[in-house]
PDB file of all heavy atoms in Angstrom:
ATOM      1  N   ASP B  92      -9.550  17.200  50.092  1.00 81.00           N
ATOM      2  CA  ASP B  92      -9.002  16.323  51.133  1.00 81.00           C
ATOM      3  C   ASP B  92      -7.460  16.445  51.233  1.00 81.00           C
ATOM      4  O   ASP B  92      -6.851  16.458  52.275  1.00 81.00           O
ATOM      5  CB  ASP B  92      -9.380  14.831  50.865  1.00 81.00           C
ATOM      6  CG  ASP B  92     -10.872  14.655  51.110  1.00 81.00           C
ATOM      7  OD1 ASP B  92     -11.513  15.594  51.687  1.00 81.00           O
ATOM      8  OD2 ASP B  92     -11.356  13.558  50.761  1.00 81.00           O
ATOM      9  N   LEU B  93      -6.907  16.463  50.034  1.00 84.00           N
ATOM     10  CA  LEU B  93      -5.362  16.529  49.942  1.00 84.00           C
ATOM     11  C   LEU B  93      -4.930  17.797  50.607  1.00 84.00           C
ATOM     12  O   LEU B  93      -3.891  17.808  51.317  1.00 84.00           O
ATOM     13  CB  LEU B  93      -4.965  16.445  48.471  1.00 84.00           C
ATOM     14  CG  LEU B  93      -3.495  16.410  48.270  1.00 84.00           C
ATOM     15  CD1 LEU B  93      -2.804  15.223  48.904  1.00 84.00           C
ATOM     16  CD2 LEU B  93      -3.162  16.512  46.762  1.00 84.00           C
ATOM     17  N   GLU B  94      -5.631  18.906  50.368  1.00 80.00           N
ATOM     18  CA  GLU B  94      -5.217  20.184  50.836  1.00 80.00           C
ATOM     19  C   GLU B  94      -5.333  20.211  52.388  1.00 80.00           C
ATOM     20  O   GLU B  94      -4.464  20.688  53.080  1.00 80.00           O
ATOM     21  CB  GLU B  94      -6.124  21.291  50.216  1.00 80.00           C
ATOM     22  CG  GLU B  94      -5.694  22.721  50.503  1.00 80.00           C
ATOM     23  CD  GLU B  94      -4.188  22.975  50.240  1.00 80.00           C
ATOM     24  OE1 GLU B  94      -3.708  22.396  49.237  1.00 80.00           O
ATOM     25  OE2 GLU B  94      -3.547  23.646  51.036  1.00 80.00           O
ATOM     26  N   LYS B  95      -6.481  19.600  52.939  1.00 80.00           N
ATOM     27  CA  LYS B  95      -6.644  19.544  54.361  1.00 80.00           C
ATOM     28  C   LYS B  95      -5.543  18.692  54.982  1.00 80.00           C
ATOM     29  O   LYS B  95      -4.925  19.014  56.012  1.00 80.00           O
ATOM     30  CB  LYS B  95      -8.021  18.816  54.623  1.00 80.00           C
ATOM     31  CG  LYS B  95      -9.181  19.728  54.567  1.00 80.00           C
ATOM     32  CD  LYS B  95     -10.423  18.894  55.017  1.00 80.00           C
ATOM     33  CE  LYS B  95     -11.686  19.664  54.867  1.00 80.00           C
ATOM     34  NZ  LYS B  95     -12.851  18.884  55.180  1.00 80.00           N
ATOM     35  N   ALA B  96      -5.226  17.600  54.332  1.00 78.00           N
ATOM     36  CA  ALA B  96      -4.194  16.696  54.790  1.00 78.00           C
ATOM     37  C   ALA B  96      -2.835  17.337  54.897  1.00 78.00           C
ATOM     38  O   ALA B  96      -2.084  17.226  55.842  1.00 78.00           O
ATOM     39  CB  ALA B  96      -4.086  15.404  53.955  1.00 78.00           C
ATOM     40  N   ARG B  97      -2.595  18.166  53.842  1.00 76.00           N
ATOM     41  CA  ARG B  97      -1.317  18.879  53.801  1.00 76.00           C
ATOM     42  C   ARG B  97      -1.209  19.845  54.982  1.00 76.00           C
ATOM     43  O   ARG B  97      -0.228  19.994  55.709  1.00 76.00           O
ATOM     44  CB  ARG B  97      -1.222  19.603  52.484  1.00 76.00           C
ATOM     45  CG  ARG B  97       0.184  20.230  52.302  1.00 76.00           C
ATOM     46  CD  ARG B  97       0.304  20.878  50.945  1.00 76.00           C
ATOM     47  NE  ARG B  97       0.432  19.926  49.840  1.00 76.00           N
ATOM     48  CZ  ARG B  97      -0.468  19.768  48.899  1.00 76.00           C
ATOM     49  NH1 ARG B  97      -1.469  20.543  48.790  1.00 76.00           N
ATOM     50  NH2 ARG B  97      -0.207  18.928  47.962  1.00 76.00           N
ATOM     51  N   ARG B  98      -2.338  20.590  55.202  1.00 77.00           N
ATOM     52  CA  ARG B  98      -2.344  21.558  56.379  1.00 77.00           C
ATOM     53  C   ARG B  98      -2.142  20.823  57.643  1.00 77.00           C
ATOM     54  O   ARG B  98      -1.392  21.265  58.543  1.00 77.00           O
ATOM     55  CB  ARG B  98      -3.655  22.376  56.302  1.00 77.00           C
ATOM     56  CG  ARG B  98      -3.700  23.500  55.276  1.00 77.00           C
ATOM     57  CD  ARG B  98      -4.740  24.498  55.639  1.00 77.00           C
ATOM     58  NE  ARG B  98      -6.059  23.902  55.826  1.00 77.00           N
ATOM     59  CZ  ARG B  98      -6.951  23.852  54.869  1.00 77.00           C
ATOM     60  NH1 ARG B  98      -6.603  24.236  53.641  1.00 77.00           N
ATOM     61  NH2 ARG B  98      -8.104  23.330  55.067  1.00 77.00           N
ATOM     62  N   GLY B  99      -2.860  19.677  57.811  1.00 76.00           N
ATOM     63  CA  GLY B  99      -2.739  18.948  59.069  1.00 76.00           C
ATOM     64  C   GLY B  99      -1.405  18.408  59.283  1.00 76.00           C
ATOM     65  O   GLY B  99      -0.851  18.469  60.392  1.00 76.00           O
ATOM     66  N   TRP B 100      -0.794  17.925  58.222  1.00 76.00           N
ATOM     67  CA  TRP B 100       0.580  17.310  58.347  1.00 76.00           C
ATOM     68  C   TRP B 100       1.580  18.474  58.797  1.00 76.00           C
ATOM     69  O   TRP B 100       2.389  18.230  59.596  1.00 76.00           O
ATOM     70  CB  TRP B 100       1.008  16.801  56.930  1.00 76.00           C
ATOM     71  CG  TRP B 100       2.474  16.433  56.896  1.00 76.00           C
ATOM     72  CD1 TRP B 100       2.999  15.316  57.354  1.00 76.00           C
ATOM     73  CD2 TRP B 100       3.507  17.292  56.349  1.00 76.00           C
ATOM     74  NE1 TRP B 100       4.374  15.315  57.092  1.00 76.00           N
ATOM     75  CE2 TRP B 100       4.696  16.574  56.518  1.00 76.00           C
ATOM     76  CE3 TRP B 100       3.565  18.504  55.755  1.00 76.00           C
ATOM     77  CZ2 TRP B 100       5.896  17.035  56.115  1.00 76.00           C
ATOM     78  CZ3 TRP B 100       4.721  19.064  55.391  1.00 76.00           C
ATOM     79  CH2 TRP B 100       5.899  18.348  55.553  1.00 76.00           C
ATOM     80  N   ALA B 101       1.375  19.676  58.191  1.00 75.00           N
ATOM     81  CA  ALA B 101       2.304  20.723  58.476  1.00 75.00           C
ATOM     82  C   ALA B 101       2.161  21.123  60.008  1.00 75.00           C
ATOM     83  O   ALA B 101       3.119  21.336  60.734  1.00 75.00           O
ATOM     84  CB  ALA B 101       2.028  21.914  57.596  1.00 75.00           C
ATOM     85  N   ASP B 102       0.910  21.235  60.475  1.00 76.00           N
ATOM     86  CA  ASP B 102       0.649  21.586  61.906  1.00 76.00           C
ATOM     87  C   ASP B 102       1.241  20.534  62.822  1.00 76.00           C
ATOM     88  O   ASP B 102       1.871  20.988  63.830  1.00 76.00           O
ATOM     89  CB  ASP B 102      -0.880  21.638  62.118  1.00 76.00           C
ATOM     90  CG  ASP B 102      -1.569  22.871  61.391  1.00 76.00           C
ATOM     91  OD1 ASP B 102      -0.747  23.775  61.002  1.00 76.00           O
ATOM     92  OD2 ASP B 102      -2.764  22.851  61.306  1.00 76.00           O
ATOM     93  N   ARG B 103       1.002  19.307  62.557  1.00 75.00           N
ATOM     94  CA  ARG B 103       1.471  18.290  63.400  1.00 75.00           C
ATOM     95  C   ARG B 103       3.031  18.151  63.418  1.00 75.00           C
ATOM     96  O   ARG B 103       3.714  17.862  64.394  1.00 75.00           O
ATOM     97  CB  ARG B 103       0.848  16.921  63.103  1.00 75.00           C
ATOM     98  CG  ARG B 103      -0.373  16.777  63.960  1.00 75.00           C
ATOM     99  CD  ARG B 103      -1.226  15.590  63.727  1.00 75.00           C
ATOM    100  NE  ARG B 103      -2.360  15.942  62.807  1.00 75.00           N
ATOM    101  CZ  ARG B 103      -3.196  16.937  63.036  1.00 75.00           C
ATOM    102  NH1 ARG B 103      -3.068  17.783  64.061  1.00 75.00           N
ATOM    103  NH2 ARG B 103      -4.218  17.079  62.224  1.00 75.00           N
ATOM    104  N   TRP B 104       3.557  18.372  62.228  1.00 76.00           N
ATOM    105  CA  TRP B 104       5.083  18.358  62.138  1.00 76.00           C
ATOM    106  C   TRP B 104       5.654  19.491  63.001  1.00 76.00           C
ATOM    107  O   TRP B 104       6.618  19.286  63.813  1.00 76.00           O
ATOM    108  CB  TRP B 104       5.516  18.554  60.639  1.00 76.00           C
ATOM    109  CG  TRP B 104       7.020  18.382  60.516  1.00 76.00           C
ATOM    110  CD1 TRP B 104       7.664  17.240  60.337  1.00 76.00           C
ATOM    111  CD2 TRP B 104       7.977  19.481  60.626  1.00 76.00           C
ATOM    112  NE1 TRP B 104       9.035  17.492  60.242  1.00 76.00           N
ATOM    113  CE2 TRP B 104       9.195  18.858  60.426  1.00 76.00           C
ATOM    114  CE3 TRP B 104       7.877  20.837  60.889  1.00 76.00           C
ATOM    115  CZ2 TRP B 104      10.426  19.596  60.454  1.00 76.00           C
ATOM    116  CZ3 TRP B 104       9.107  21.542  60.904  1.00 76.00           C
ATOM    117  CH2 TRP B 104      10.339  20.930  60.744  1.00 76.00           C
ATOM    118  N   TRP B 105       5.011  20.647  62.986  1.00 75.00           N
ATOM    119  CA  TRP B 105       5.507  21.786  63.736  1.00 75.00           C
ATOM    120  C   TRP B 105       5.316  21.581  65.259  1.00 75.00           C
ATOM    121  O   TRP B 105       6.217  21.793  66.024  1.00 75.00           O
ATOM    122  CB  TRP B 105       4.769  23.078  63.306  1.00 75.00           C
ATOM    123  CG  TRP B 105       5.394  24.301  63.954  1.00 75.00           C
ATOM    124  CD1 TRP B 105       4.897  25.067  64.915  1.00 75.00           C
ATOM    125  CD2 TRP B 105       6.680  24.733  63.653  1.00 75.00           C
ATOM    126  NE1 TRP B 105       5.762  26.014  65.262  1.00 75.00           N
ATOM    127  CE2 TRP B 105       6.906  25.867  64.475  1.00 75.00           C
ATOM    128  CE3 TRP B 105       7.786  24.383  62.800  1.00 75.00           C
ATOM    129  CZ2 TRP B 105       8.104  26.605  64.544  1.00 75.00           C
ATOM    130  CZ3 TRP B 105       8.930  25.152  62.840  1.00 75.00           C
ATOM    131  CH2 TRP B 105       9.096  26.263  63.719  1.00 75.00           C
ATOM    132  N   ASP B 106       4.145  20.980  65.625  1.00 76.00           N
ATOM    133  CA  ASP B 106       3.856  20.628  67.045  1.00 76.00           C
ATOM    134  C   ASP B 106       4.961  19.675  67.515  1.00 76.00           C
ATOM    135  O   ASP B 106       5.523  19.829  68.617  1.00 76.00           O
ATOM    136  CB  ASP B 106       2.524  19.943  67.196  1.00 76.00           C
ATOM    137  CG  ASP B 106       1.382  20.965  67.040  1.00 76.00           C
ATOM    138  OD1 ASP B 106       1.716  22.180  67.042  1.00 76.00           O
ATOM    139  OD2 ASP B 106       0.205  20.500  66.881  1.00 76.00           O
ATOM    140  N   ALA B 107       5.315  18.632  66.724  1.00 73.00           N
ATOM    141  CA  ALA B 107       6.254  17.664  67.071  1.00 73.00           C
ATOM    142  C   ALA B 107       7.597  18.278  67.206  1.00 73.00           C
ATOM    143  O   ALA B 107       8.417  17.935  68.137  1.00 73.00           O
ATOM    144  CB  ALA B 107       6.274  16.464  66.068  1.00 73.00           C
ATOM    145  N   ARG B 108       7.928  19.226  66.315  1.00 71.00           N
ATOM    146  CA  ARG B 108       9.208  19.850  66.291  1.00 71.00           C
ATOM    147  C   ARG B 108       9.487  20.674  67.619  1.00 71.00           C
ATOM    148  O   ARG B 108      10.605  20.792  68.046  1.00 71.00           O
ATOM    149  CB  ARG B 108       9.276  20.785  65.045  1.00 71.00           C
ATOM    150  CG  ARG B 108      10.542  21.561  64.886  1.00 71.00           C
ATOM    151  CD  ARG B 108      11.668  20.769  64.390  1.00 71.00           C
ATOM    152  NE  ARG B 108      12.840  21.532  64.103  1.00 71.00           N
ATOM    153  CZ  ARG B 108      13.665  22.000  65.057  1.00 71.00           C
ATOM    154  NH1 ARG B 108      13.398  21.719  66.322  1.00 71.00           N
ATOM    155  NH2 ARG B 108      14.801  22.689  64.719  1.00 71.00           N
ATOM    156  N   THR B 109       8.357  21.273  68.120  1.00 72.00           N
ATOM    157  CA  THR B 109       8.480  22.160  69.232  1.00 72.00           C
ATOM    158  C   THR B 109       8.132  21.527  70.603  1.00 72.00           C
ATOM    159  O   THR B 109       8.238  22.197  71.661  1.00 72.00           O
ATOM    160  CB  THR B 109       7.602  23.435  69.038  1.00 72.00           C
ATOM    161  OG1 THR B 109       6.249  22.959  68.870  1.00 72.00           O
ATOM    162  CG2 THR B 109       8.046  24.244  67.888  1.00 72.00           C
ATOM    163  N   SER B 110       7.751  20.276  70.613  1.00 73.00           N
ATOM    164  CA  SER B 110       7.388  19.598  71.874  1.00 73.00           C
ATOM    165  C   SER B 110       8.549  18.723  72.420  1.00 73.00           C
ATOM    166  O   SER B 110       9.548  18.457  71.674  1.00 73.00           O
ATOM    167  CB  SER B 110       6.216  18.696  71.732  1.00 73.00           C
ATOM    168  OG  SER B 110       6.530  17.647  70.873  1.00 73.00           O
ATOM    169  N   GLU B 111       8.473  18.419  73.773  1.00 72.00           N
ATOM    170  CA  GLU B 111       9.494  17.650  74.408  1.00 72.00           C
ATOM    171  C   GLU B 111       9.441  16.226  73.913  1.00 72.00           C
ATOM    172  O   GLU B 111       8.270  15.621  73.809  1.00 72.00           O
ATOM    173  CB  GLU B 111       9.254  17.673  75.887  1.00 72.00           C
ATOM    174  CG  GLU B 111       9.654  18.932  76.627  1.00 72.00           C
ATOM    175  CD  GLU B 111      11.093  18.981  76.858  1.00 72.00           C
ATOM    176  OE1 GLU B 111      11.720  17.977  77.138  1.00 72.00           O
ATOM    177  OE2 GLU B 111      11.680  20.130  76.726  1.00 72.00           O
ATOM    178  N   PRO B 112      10.534  15.550  73.546  1.00 69.00           N
ATOM    179  CA  PRO B 112      10.386  14.183  73.113  1.00 69.00           C
ATOM    180  C   PRO B 112      10.185  13.336  74.343  1.00 69.00           C
ATOM    181  O   PRO B 112      10.621  13.642  75.351  1.00 69.00           O
ATOM    182  CB  PRO B 112      11.788  13.923  72.526  1.00 69.00           C
ATOM    183  CG  PRO B 112      12.717  14.867  73.156  1.00 69.00           C
ATOM    184  CD  PRO B 112      11.843  16.093  73.445  1.00 69.00           C
ATOM    185  N   PRO B 113       9.463  12.089  74.153  1.00 69.00           N
ATOM    186  CA  PRO B 113       9.266  11.214  75.276  1.00 69.00           C
ATOM    187  C   PRO B 113      10.627  10.659  75.731  1.00 69.00           C
ATOM    188  O   PRO B 113      11.514  10.511  74.957  1.00 69.00           O
ATOM    189  CB  PRO B 113       8.331  10.153  74.656  1.00 69.00           C
ATOM    190  CG  PRO B 113       8.557  10.199  73.227  1.00 69.00           C
ATOM    191  CD  PRO B 113       8.926  11.590  72.918  1.00 69.00           C
ATOM    192  N   ASN B 114      10.651  10.358  77.011  1.00 70.00           N
ATOM    193  CA  ASN B 114      11.852   9.832  77.634  1.00 70.00           C
ATOM    194  C   ASN B 114      11.966   8.293  77.207  1.00 70.00           C
ATOM    195  O   ASN B 114      11.128   7.488  77.610  1.00 70.00           O
ATOM    196  CB  ASN B 114      11.824   9.944  79.089  1.00 70.00           C
ATOM    197  CG  ASN B 114      13.174   9.490  79.717  1.00 70.00           C
ATOM    198  OD1 ASN B 114      13.970   8.797  79.081  1.00 70.00           O
ATOM    199  ND2 ASN B 114      13.354   9.875  80.990  1.00 70.00           N
ATOM    200  N   ALA B 115      12.929   7.929  76.403  1.00 71.00           N
ATOM    201  CA  ALA B 115      12.957   6.602  75.854  1.00 71.00           C
ATOM    202  C   ALA B 115      13.503   5.628  76.956  1.00 71.00           C
ATOM    203  O   ALA B 115      13.447   4.409  76.762  1.00 71.00           O
ATOM    204  CB  ALA B 115      13.940   6.585  74.683  1.00 71.00           C
ATOM    205  N   GLU B 116      13.897   6.157  78.173  1.00 81.00           N
ATOM    206  CA  GLU B 116      14.462   5.231  79.195  1.00 81.00           C
ATOM    207  C   GLU B 116      13.412   4.738  80.170  1.00 81.00           C
ATOM    208  O   GLU B 116      13.559   3.808  80.944  1.00 81.00           O
ATOM    209  CB  GLU B 116      15.464   5.985  79.972  1.00 81.00           C
ATOM    210  CG  GLU B 116      16.637   6.537  79.103  1.00 81.00           C
ATOM    211  CD  GLU B 116      17.364   5.393  78.434  1.00 81.00           C
ATOM    212  OE1 GLU B 116      17.656   4.376  79.061  1.00 81.00           O
ATOM    213  OE2 GLU B 116      17.728   5.623  77.245  1.00 81.00           O
ATOM    214  N   GLU B 117      12.136   5.359  80.173  1.00 88.00           N
ATOM    215  CA  GLU B 117      11.125   4.927  81.054  1.00 88.00           C
ATOM    216  C   GLU B 117       9.818   4.788  80.274  1.00 88.00           C
ATOM    217  O   GLU B 117       9.630   5.352  79.230  1.00 88.00           O
ATOM    218  CB  GLU B 117      10.956   5.913  82.197  1.00 88.00           C
ATOM    219  CG  GLU B 117      10.610   7.306  81.743  1.00 88.00           C
ATOM    220  CD  GLU B 117      10.451   8.291  82.895  1.00 88.00           C
ATOM    221  OE1 GLU B 117      10.224   7.836  84.015  1.00 88.00           O
ATOM    222  OE2 GLU B 117      10.467   9.498  82.686  1.00 88.00           O
ATOM    223  N   ALA B 118       8.879   4.040  80.863  1.00 91.00           N
ATOM    224  CA  ALA B 118       7.573   3.851  80.200  1.00 91.00           C
ATOM    225  C   ALA B 118       6.816   5.102  80.188  1.00 91.00           C
ATOM    226  O   ALA B 118       6.887   5.976  81.154  1.00 91.00           O
ATOM    227  CB  ALA B 118       6.771   2.791  81.028  1.00 91.00           C
ATOM    228  N   HIS B 119       6.135   5.391  79.071  1.00 92.00           N
ATOM    229  CA  HIS B 119       5.492   6.724  78.913  1.00 92.00           C
ATOM    230  C   HIS B 119       4.215   6.595  78.084  1.00 92.00           C
ATOM    231  O   HIS B 119       4.016   5.534  77.327  1.00 92.00           O
ATOM    232  CB  HIS B 119       6.416   7.746  78.287  1.00 92.00           C
ATOM    233  CG  HIS B 119       7.022   7.257  77.007  1.00 92.00           C
ATOM    234  ND1 HIS B 119       8.253   6.596  77.022  1.00 92.00           N
ATOM    235  CD2 HIS B 119       6.627   7.331  75.737  1.00 92.00           C
ATOM    236  CE1 HIS B 119       8.505   6.259  75.728  1.00 92.00           C
ATOM    237  NE2 HIS B 119       7.583   6.771  74.934  1.00 92.00           N
ATOM    238  N   VAL B 120       3.419   7.547  78.135  1.00 92.00           N
ATOM    239  CA  VAL B 120       2.136   7.505  77.323  1.00 92.00           C
ATOM    240  C   VAL B 120       1.986   8.846  76.512  1.00 92.00           C
ATOM    241  O   VAL B 120       2.322   9.924  76.981  1.00 92.00           O
ATOM    242  CB  VAL B 120       0.939   7.306  78.261  1.00 92.00           C
ATOM    243  CG1 VAL B 120       0.792   8.388  79.299  1.00 92.00           C
ATOM    244  CG2 VAL B 120      -0.380   7.240  77.447  1.00 92.00           C
ATOM    245  N   THR B 121       1.501   8.664  75.251  1.00 91.00           N
ATOM    246  CA  THR B 121       1.350   9.815  74.380  1.00 91.00           C
ATOM    247  C   THR B 121      -0.030   9.771  73.777  1.00 91.00           C
ATOM    248  O   THR B 121      -0.556   8.735  73.329  1.00 91.00           O
ATOM    249  CB  THR B 121       2.360   9.747  73.209  1.00 91.00           C
ATOM    250  OG1 THR B 121       3.706   9.656  73.875  1.00 91.00           O
ATOM    251  CG2 THR B 121       2.294  11.040  72.396  1.00 91.00           C
ATOM    252  N   VAL B 122      -0.710  10.974  73.795  1.00 92.00           N
ATOM    253  CA  VAL B 122      -2.073  11.042  73.176  1.00 92.00           C
ATOM    254  C   VAL B 122      -1.964  11.994  72.023  1.00 92.00           C
ATOM    255  O   VAL B 122      -1.395  13.041  72.089  1.00 92.00           O
ATOM    256  CB  VAL B 122      -3.094  11.583  74.214  1.00 92.00           C
ATOM    257  CG1 VAL B 122      -4.372  11.897  73.509  1.00 92.00           C
ATOM    258  CG2 VAL B 122      -3.331  10.555  75.351  1.00 92.00           C
ATOM    259  N   VAL B 123      -2.480  11.483  70.904  1.00 91.00           N
ATOM    260  CA  VAL B 123      -2.487  12.368  69.614  1.00 91.00           C
ATOM    261  C   VAL B 123      -3.951  12.448  69.219  1.00 91.00           C
ATOM    262  O   VAL B 123      -4.635  11.453  69.001  1.00 91.00           O
ATOM    263  CB  VAL B 123      -1.676  11.717  68.516  1.00 91.00           C
ATOM    264  CG1 VAL B 123      -1.712  12.566  67.225  1.00 91.00           C
ATOM    265  CG2 VAL B 123      -0.264  11.506  68.991  1.00 91.00           C
ATOM    266  N   ASP B 124      -4.442  13.722  68.974  1.00 90.00           N
ATOM    267  CA  ASP B 124      -5.752  13.942  68.480  1.00 90.00           C
ATOM    268  C   ASP B 124      -5.713  14.417  67.052  1.00 90.00           C
ATOM    269  O   ASP B 124      -5.001  15.421  66.783  1.00 90.00           O
ATOM    270  CB  ASP B 124      -6.529  14.937  69.356  1.00 90.00           C
ATOM    271  CG  ASP B 124      -7.915  15.178  68.835  1.00 90.00           C
ATOM    272  OD1 ASP B 124      -8.534  14.224  68.353  1.00 90.00           O
ATOM    273  OD2 ASP B 124      -8.401  16.356  68.891  1.00 90.00           O
ATOM    274  N   LEU B 125      -6.440  13.724  66.116  1.00 89.00           N
ATOM    275  CA  LEU B 125      -6.473  14.142  64.714  1.00 89.00           C
ATOM    276  C   LEU B 125      -7.924  14.653  64.491  1.00 89.00           C
ATOM    277  O   LEU B 125      -8.795  13.800  64.219  1.00 89.00           O
ATOM    278  CB  LEU B 125      -6.152  13.014  63.790  1.00 89.00           C
ATOM    279  CG  LEU B 125      -4.825  12.304  63.993  1.00 89.00           C
ATOM    280  CD1 LEU B 125      -4.654  11.169  62.985  1.00 89.00           C
ATOM    281  CD2 LEU B 125      -3.673  13.287  63.843  1.00 89.00           C
TER     282      LEU B 125
END
Side-chain angles (χ1 to χ4, degrees):
Chain B
D92 289 349
L93 181 65
E94 188 54 37
K95 277 184 186 175
R97 184 177 290 118
R98 282 201 302 270
W100 169 83
D102 289 346
R103 266 171 264 309
W104 185 89
W105 187 251
D106 288 348
R108 177 78 175 76
T109 55
S110 65
E111 286 280 324
N114 188 341
E116 302 299 318
E117 59 179 340
H119 54 270
V120 58
T121 306
V122 171
V123 178
D124 178 37
L125 305 176

